[in-house]
Amino acid sequence: MSDTDFIKWIASLRQTGEKEYLQNENALKDLKEKQTKLNDILMISGGLAAAGMLVSSPAALVASASTYFALEASITVDRLVAVIEMLLTAFSGEGITITPCVKTDEGLIDLLVRMPDRRTFAFMLRSKGDSLVKWRGDRQEFYVSTRKKGGKKNNKWADLLKLSQRLNAATLLLKKQKNMLVGSSNTERNKITVKAIVLTSKTRVDPNNDESVFVNFGDCKVLRVKTESVLHIVNQSDLINFLTLTEKS
Protein backbone atom coordinates (compact mmCIF):
# COMPACT_ATOMS: atom_id res chain seq x y z
CA MET A 1 0.00 0.00 0.00
CA SER A 2 1.47 3.36 -1.04
CA ASP A 3 1.62 6.32 1.35
CA THR A 4 -1.12 8.05 -0.67
CA ASP A 5 -3.38 4.99 -0.55
CA PHE A 6 -2.76 4.59 3.15
CA ILE A 7 -3.67 8.21 3.86
CA LYS A 8 -6.91 7.70 1.92
CA TRP A 9 -7.55 4.54 3.95
CA ILE A 10 -7.09 6.46 7.20
CA ALA A 11 -9.50 9.10 5.92
CA SER A 12 -12.12 6.36 5.62
CA LEU A 13 -12.39 6.46 9.40
CA ARG A 14 -14.42 9.63 8.95
CA GLN A 15 -18.10 9.01 8.30
CA THR A 16 -19.94 11.50 6.11
CA GLY A 17 -23.24 9.64 5.99
CA GLU A 18 -23.37 9.89 2.19
CA LYS A 19 -24.20 6.18 2.02
CA GLU A 20 -24.96 5.26 5.59
CA TYR A 21 -23.43 5.57 9.03
CA LEU A 22 -21.87 2.51 10.61
CA GLN A 23 -23.19 2.23 14.14
CA ASN A 24 -22.91 0.03 17.21
CA GLU A 25 -21.61 -3.51 16.48
CA ASN A 26 -21.09 -2.80 12.76
CA ALA A 27 -18.99 0.27 13.56
CA LEU A 28 -17.04 -1.64 16.20
CA LYS A 29 -16.29 -4.46 13.74
CA ASP A 30 -15.02 -1.97 11.15
CA LEU A 31 -12.83 -0.22 13.69
CA LYS A 32 -11.37 -3.50 14.93
CA GLU A 33 -10.44 -4.44 11.36
CA LYS A 34 -8.65 -1.12 10.99
CA GLN A 35 -7.05 -1.63 14.40
CA THR A 36 -5.59 -4.95 13.23
CA LYS A 37 -4.29 -3.37 10.03
CA LEU A 38 -2.66 -0.53 11.95
CA ASN A 39 -1.04 -2.92 14.42
CA ASP A 40 0.37 -4.96 11.52
CA ILE A 41 1.89 -1.83 9.94
CA LEU A 42 3.46 -0.76 13.23
CA MET A 43 4.78 -4.26 13.87
CA ILE A 44 6.41 -4.37 10.44
CA SER A 45 7.96 -0.94 11.00
CA GLY A 46 9.27 -2.05 14.38
CA GLY A 47 10.68 -5.22 12.86
CA LEU A 48 12.51 -3.27 10.16
CA ALA A 49 13.96 -0.97 12.79
CA ALA A 50 15.14 -3.91 14.90
CA ALA A 51 16.74 -5.50 11.83
CA GLY A 52 18.72 -2.33 11.18
CA MET A 53 16.81 -1.41 8.04
CA LEU A 54 15.69 1.74 9.81
CA VAL A 55 17.70 3.82 12.22
CA SER A 56 16.65 2.64 15.67
CA SER A 57 15.16 5.83 17.06
CA PRO A 58 11.60 7.17 17.50
CA ALA A 59 12.31 9.92 14.98
CA ALA A 60 13.34 7.42 12.32
CA LEU A 61 10.43 5.12 13.11
CA VAL A 62 7.97 7.77 11.98
CA ALA A 63 10.01 8.76 8.97
CA SER A 64 7.60 7.34 6.40
CA ALA A 65 4.18 8.92 6.02
CA SER A 66 2.45 5.55 6.42
CA THR A 67 4.11 4.82 9.75
CA TYR A 68 3.46 8.32 11.04
CA PHE A 69 -0.23 8.18 10.18
CA ALA A 70 -0.46 4.64 11.56
CA LEU A 71 0.90 5.82 14.91
CA GLU A 72 -1.54 8.71 15.05
CA ALA A 73 -4.50 6.70 13.84
CA SER A 74 -3.82 3.76 16.16
CA ILE A 75 -4.20 6.01 19.19
CA THR A 76 -7.53 7.28 17.88
CA VAL A 77 -8.82 3.83 16.96
CA ASP A 78 -7.71 2.24 20.24
CA ARG A 79 -9.62 4.90 22.18
CA LEU A 80 -12.74 4.45 20.08
CA VAL A 81 -12.71 0.66 20.34
CA ALA A 82 -12.27 0.73 24.12
CA VAL A 83 -15.06 3.25 24.71
CA ILE A 84 -17.54 1.72 22.23
CA GLU A 85 -17.02 -1.74 23.74
CA MET A 86 -17.65 -0.29 27.18
CA LEU A 87 -20.85 1.47 26.08
CA LEU A 88 -22.23 -1.53 24.21
CA THR A 89 -21.60 -3.79 27.18
CA ALA A 90 -23.46 -1.43 29.48
CA PHE A 91 -26.33 -0.31 27.24
CA SER A 92 -26.71 -2.62 24.23
CA GLY A 93 -29.91 -4.18 25.54
CA GLU A 94 -31.47 -0.78 26.10
CA GLY A 95 -31.35 0.58 22.54
CA ILE A 96 -28.33 2.88 22.58
CA THR A 97 -27.10 4.19 19.19
CA ILE A 98 -23.37 4.90 18.89
CA THR A 99 -22.01 6.59 15.76
CA PRO A 100 -18.22 7.07 15.65
CA CYS A 101 -16.15 9.50 13.58
CA VAL A 102 -18.93 11.80 12.38
CA LYS A 103 -17.37 14.17 9.84
CA THR A 104 -18.69 17.72 9.46
CA ASP A 105 -17.35 20.85 7.78
CA GLU A 106 -16.63 22.18 11.28
CA GLY A 107 -14.62 19.19 12.43
CA LEU A 108 -14.89 15.60 13.56
CA ILE A 109 -17.11 14.33 16.38
CA ASP A 110 -15.43 11.22 17.78
CA LEU A 111 -18.64 9.70 19.11
CA LEU A 112 -22.25 10.75 18.74
CA VAL A 113 -24.37 8.83 21.24
CA ARG A 114 -28.15 8.64 21.25
CA MET A 115 -29.69 7.17 24.36
CA PRO A 116 -32.99 5.22 24.35
CA ASP A 117 -34.76 8.20 25.97
CA ARG A 118 -33.61 10.38 23.01
CA ARG A 119 -30.93 12.27 24.93
CA THR A 120 -28.03 13.02 22.59
CA PHE A 121 -24.34 13.32 23.51
CA ALA A 122 -21.40 14.51 21.41
CA PHE A 123 -18.02 13.28 22.62
CA MET A 124 -14.40 13.85 21.78
CA LEU A 125 -11.88 11.42 23.30
CA ARG A 126 -8.51 12.76 24.36
CA SER A 127 -5.56 11.99 26.63
CA LYS A 128 -2.33 13.69 27.62
CA GLY A 129 -0.21 11.11 29.36
CA ASP A 130 -0.33 10.52 33.09
CA SER A 131 -1.75 13.88 34.07
CA LEU A 132 -4.53 15.73 35.87
CA VAL A 133 -6.71 18.31 34.12
CA LYS A 134 -7.69 21.56 35.79
CA TRP A 135 -9.84 24.46 34.60
CA ARG A 136 -8.62 27.94 35.54
CA GLY A 137 -11.67 30.17 35.37
CA ASP A 138 -9.62 33.28 36.09
CA ARG A 139 -7.55 32.61 32.96
CA GLN A 140 -10.21 30.80 30.92
CA GLU A 141 -7.73 28.03 30.19
CA PHE A 142 -7.24 24.32 30.80
CA TYR A 143 -4.05 23.14 32.48
CA VAL A 144 -2.50 19.73 32.98
CA SER A 145 -0.22 18.77 35.84
CA THR A 146 2.25 15.92 35.60
CA ARG A 147 4.47 14.49 38.27
CA LYS A 148 8.13 15.26 37.77
CA LYS A 149 11.18 14.79 39.94
CA GLY A 150 11.07 17.44 42.59
CA GLY A 151 7.35 18.15 42.29
CA LYS A 152 4.64 18.75 39.72
CA LYS A 153 4.85 20.47 36.36
CA ASN A 154 1.89 22.53 35.15
CA ASN A 155 1.33 23.30 31.48
CA LYS A 156 -1.43 25.00 29.55
CA TRP A 157 -3.55 22.64 27.42
CA ALA A 158 -4.76 25.23 24.93
CA ASP A 159 -5.84 22.60 22.40
CA LEU A 160 -8.53 21.37 24.76
CA LEU A 161 -10.37 24.70 24.72
CA LYS A 162 -10.10 24.90 20.92
CA LEU A 163 -11.38 21.33 20.76
CA SER A 164 -14.46 22.24 22.77
CA GLN A 165 -15.18 25.11 20.37
CA ARG A 166 -14.93 22.80 17.36
CA LEU A 167 -17.15 20.25 19.06
CA ASN A 168 -19.81 22.90 19.65
CA ALA A 169 -19.59 24.19 16.07
CA ALA A 170 -19.80 20.68 14.60
CA THR A 171 -22.84 19.84 16.72
CA LEU A 172 -24.65 23.05 15.77
CA LEU A 173 -23.96 22.37 12.10
CA LEU A 174 -25.54 18.90 12.31
CA LYS A 175 -28.67 20.49 13.77
CA LYS A 176 -28.71 23.18 11.08
CA GLN A 177 -28.38 20.53 8.38
CA LYS A 178 -31.22 18.54 10.00
CA ASN A 179 -29.00 15.50 10.24
CA MET A 180 -30.92 12.43 11.42
CA LEU A 181 -28.20 11.71 13.97
CA VAL A 182 -29.45 14.59 16.12
CA GLY A 183 -33.14 13.89 15.68
CA SER A 184 -35.82 13.20 13.12
CA SER A 185 -37.98 16.20 14.00
CA ASN A 186 -37.44 19.87 14.82
CA THR A 187 -38.52 19.15 18.38
CA GLU A 188 -35.80 16.53 18.80
CA ARG A 189 -33.14 18.60 17.05
CA ASN A 190 -33.92 21.63 19.21
CA LYS A 191 -33.16 19.67 22.37
CA ILE A 192 -29.77 20.25 23.97
CA THR A 193 -26.98 17.99 22.79
CA VAL A 194 -24.70 17.40 25.75
CA LYS A 195 -21.08 17.99 24.74
CA ALA A 196 -18.18 16.43 26.61
CA ILE A 197 -14.49 15.70 26.40
CA VAL A 198 -13.85 12.16 27.62
CA LEU A 199 -10.42 11.77 29.20
CA THR A 200 -8.93 8.38 28.38
CA SER A 201 -5.92 6.33 29.45
CA LYS A 202 -4.14 7.87 32.45
CA THR A 203 -5.47 11.41 31.95
CA ARG A 204 -8.03 12.37 34.58
CA VAL A 205 -9.92 15.32 35.99
CA ASP A 206 -7.98 16.92 38.83
CA PRO A 207 -10.08 16.41 42.00
CA ASN A 208 -8.58 19.67 43.30
CA ASN A 209 -10.45 21.80 40.78
CA ASP A 210 -12.47 24.61 42.29
CA GLU A 211 -15.59 23.03 43.77
CA SER A 212 -17.78 25.51 41.89
CA VAL A 213 -16.97 23.90 38.52
CA PHE A 214 -18.08 20.43 39.58
CA VAL A 215 -21.67 19.36 38.96
CA ASN A 216 -23.65 16.19 39.51
CA PHE A 217 -24.62 14.74 36.14
CA GLY A 218 -26.28 11.38 35.72
CA ASP A 219 -24.86 9.29 38.53
CA CYS A 220 -21.48 10.97 38.91
CA LYS A 221 -19.69 14.26 39.51
CA VAL A 222 -17.99 15.87 36.50
CA LEU A 223 -16.31 19.10 35.51
CA ARG A 224 -18.63 21.64 33.88
CA VAL A 225 -17.12 24.58 32.02
CA LYS A 226 -19.01 27.36 30.29
CA THR A 227 -17.25 29.44 27.65
CA GLU A 228 -19.10 29.99 24.36
CA SER A 229 -21.08 26.85 25.22
CA VAL A 230 -21.39 24.38 28.08
CA LEU A 231 -18.77 21.64 28.09
CA HIS A 232 -18.35 18.69 30.43
CA ILE A 233 -15.04 16.99 31.16
CA VAL A 234 -15.54 13.32 32.05
CA ASN A 235 -13.15 10.57 33.07
CA GLN A 236 -13.59 7.46 30.92
CA SER A 237 -14.17 5.47 34.10
CA ASP A 238 -17.18 7.70 34.88
CA LEU A 239 -18.73 7.63 31.40
CA ILE A 240 -21.33 4.94 32.09
CA ASN A 241 -22.54 6.77 35.18
CA PHE A 242 -22.50 10.04 33.23
CA LEU A 243 -24.95 8.58 30.71
CA THR A 244 -27.13 6.89 33.30
CA LEU A 245 -30.38 8.70 33.89
CA THR A 246 -31.25 8.94 37.57
CA GLU A 247 -34.33 10.28 39.31
CA LYS A 248 -32.43 13.49 40.04
CA SER A 249 -31.26 13.97 36.42
Side-chain angles (χ1 to χ4, degrees):
M1 183 184 292
S2 69
D3 287 349
T4 300
D5 289 339
F6 182 74
I7 292 170
K8 289 180 180 178
W9 181 77
I10 291 298
S12 70
L13 284 170
R14 304 178 179 186
Q15 298 201 81
T16 63
E18 290 180 3
K19 296 181 180 178
E20 64 176 351
Y21 288 103
L22 292 177
Q23 298 175 321
N24 292 14
E25 286 83 2
N26 289 334
L28 181 60
K29 179 182 177 182
D30 181 68
L31 286 168
K32 283 189 171 182
E33 289 174 354
K34 288 181 169 63
Q35 187 179 45
T36 299
K37 179 69 173 180
L38 291 166
N39 288 338
D40 288 345
I41 291 170
L42 293 174
M43 188 177 296
I44 291 171
S45 297
L48 291 174
M53 296 179 71
L54 291 173
V55 178
S56 182
S57 71
L61 187 60
V62 298
S64 75
S66 292
T67 306
Y68 172 78
F69 281 105
L71 283 168
E72 292 295 305
S74 66
I75 295 172
T76 298
V77 173
D78 288 348
R79 287 173 182 154
L80 288 167
V81 167
V83 173
I84 292 173
E85 284 184 328
M86 182 176 69
L87 293 178
L88 286 176
T89 298
F91 297 113
S92 62
E94 300 177 23
I96 190 174
T97 302
I98 306 165
T99 311
C101 306
V102 178
K103 185 181 182 299
T104 78
D105 290 339
E106 293 290 350
L108 193 69
I109 300 174
D110 289 343
L111 285 179
L112 200 64
V113 175
R114 189 105 161 135
M115 299 300 289
D117 57 12
R118 300 301 181 184
R119 288 177 300 141
T120 304
F121 296 80
F123 295 136
M124 286 189 174
L125 317 180
R126 291 295 184 276
S127 63
K128 205 168 184 64
D130 190 352
S131 62
L132 297 174
V133 178
K134 179 175 283 189
W135 170 253
R136 288 287 302 272
D138 56 332
R139 299 184 180 181
Q140 293 290 289
E141 292 284 0
F142 286 103
Y143 286 80
V144 290
S145 62
T146 54
R147 293 178 181 177
K148 299 290 183 180
K149 289 183 178 180
K152 290 184 178 180
K153 183 176 182 181
N154 296 304
N155 289 309
K156 186 186 298 184
W157 194 359
D159 287 348
L160 199 60
L161 186 58
K162 294 176 183 177
L163 195 69
S164 71
Q165 294 166 347
R166 293 205 304 271
L167 180 59
N168 182 54
T171 303
L172 290 176
L173 183 60
L174 287 181
K175 290 176 179 286
K176 183 178 180 181
Q177 293 174 338
K178 298 184 178 182
N179 191 298
M180 291 291 289
L181 293 176
V182 288
S184 57
S185 67
N186 286 332
T187 300
E188 287 186 339
R189 287 189 292 270
N190 287 335
K191 290 182 178 179
I192 294 174
T193 296
V194 180
K195 296 172 286 294
I197 305 295
V198 180
L199 301 178
T200 65
S201 188
K202 295 183 179 180
T203 309
R204 304 167 306 286
V205 172
D206 191 333
N208 293 317
N209 270 279
D210 191 303
E211 189 62 30
S212 66
V213 294
F214 281 109
V215 297
N216 291 316
F217 193 107
D219 199 22
C220 63
K221 182 180 284 189
V222 299
L223 210 61
R224 181 183 184 274
V225 173
K226 189 175 188 309
T227 52
E228 64 179 32
S229 65
V230 175
L231 176 74
H232 299 83
I233 311 296
V234 185
N235 294 328
Q236 181 178 331
S237 58
D238 291 326
L239 187 56
I240 300 303
N241 288 335
F242 181 73
L243 292 169
T244 300
L245 189 63
T246 65
E247 292 182 2
K248 296 179 181 179
S249 298

